[in-house]
Amino acid sequence: MINDFKLTENFNLREFSCKCCGAVKIDSELVQRLQILRDRIKRPIIITSGYRCPKHNKEVGGNDNSYHTKGLAVDIVVKDYGLDELETLARAVGFRGIGVYRIKNFIHLDLGPDRRWIL
Ligand SMILES: [Zn+2]
């Protein structure tokens, strides 16, 4: 299967592919840091958004320079795990842009400049 293979112990390339077309482009450092985060929290990480093609990015209301379109961002969900603790750990393993979406209960992580926002 196209793009169906392990990148690390817990992540398959397909998990990062665009929800609309299956295209994928993802930075290796992003995947490595995500695996380190996975090892620390010892729970499954569900990637709700990885790479987004420009069309899909527009459809979901992402901004034009979204790091999702560069393969440098993921949105993740971890069941039964506090967003504050997740944010602290994500920062500790080297994610720089972190968005905490309290109402929708997910966290955005990217390798852009240091930023933090809460919605
Ligand atoms: Zn797409």
Side-chain angles (χ1 to χ4, degrees), residues 39-109:
D39 293 341
R40 298 248 182 120
I41 64 182
K42 299 181 177 67
R43 271 166 229 240
I45 290 177
I46 300 153
I47 298 167
T48 57
S49 184
Y51 173 69
R52 293 178 194 158
C53 71
K55 175 176 159 273
H56 182 58
N57 187 57
K58 205 157 257 169
E59 281 166 3
V60 299
N63 72 58
D64 287 348
N65 292 314
S66 169
Y67 285 96
H68 286 279
T69 66
K70 305 176 202 288
L72 288 168
V74 282
D75 295 342
I76 62 168
V77 168
V78 181
K79 282 187 181 147
D80 303 318
Y81 207 85
L83 287 176
D84 292 332
E85 199 176 353
L86 197 55
E87 181 188 359
T88 302
L89 281 173
R91 188 75 70 190
V93 306
F95 287 103
R96 296 188 287 267
I98 301 183
V100 182
Y101 293 78
R102 294 201 187 282
I103 295 162
K104 293 182 176 172
N105 206 40
F106 73 92
I107 192 162
H108 164 104
L109 305 173

Side-chain angles (χ1 to χ4, degrees), residues 3 13-18 21-26 50-52 71:
N3 290 342
L13 181 57
R14 292 188 79 191
E15 296 174 75
F16 296 89
S17 60
C18 180
C21 61
V24 65
K25 178 161 94 175
I26 205 77
Y51 173 69
R52 293 178 194 158

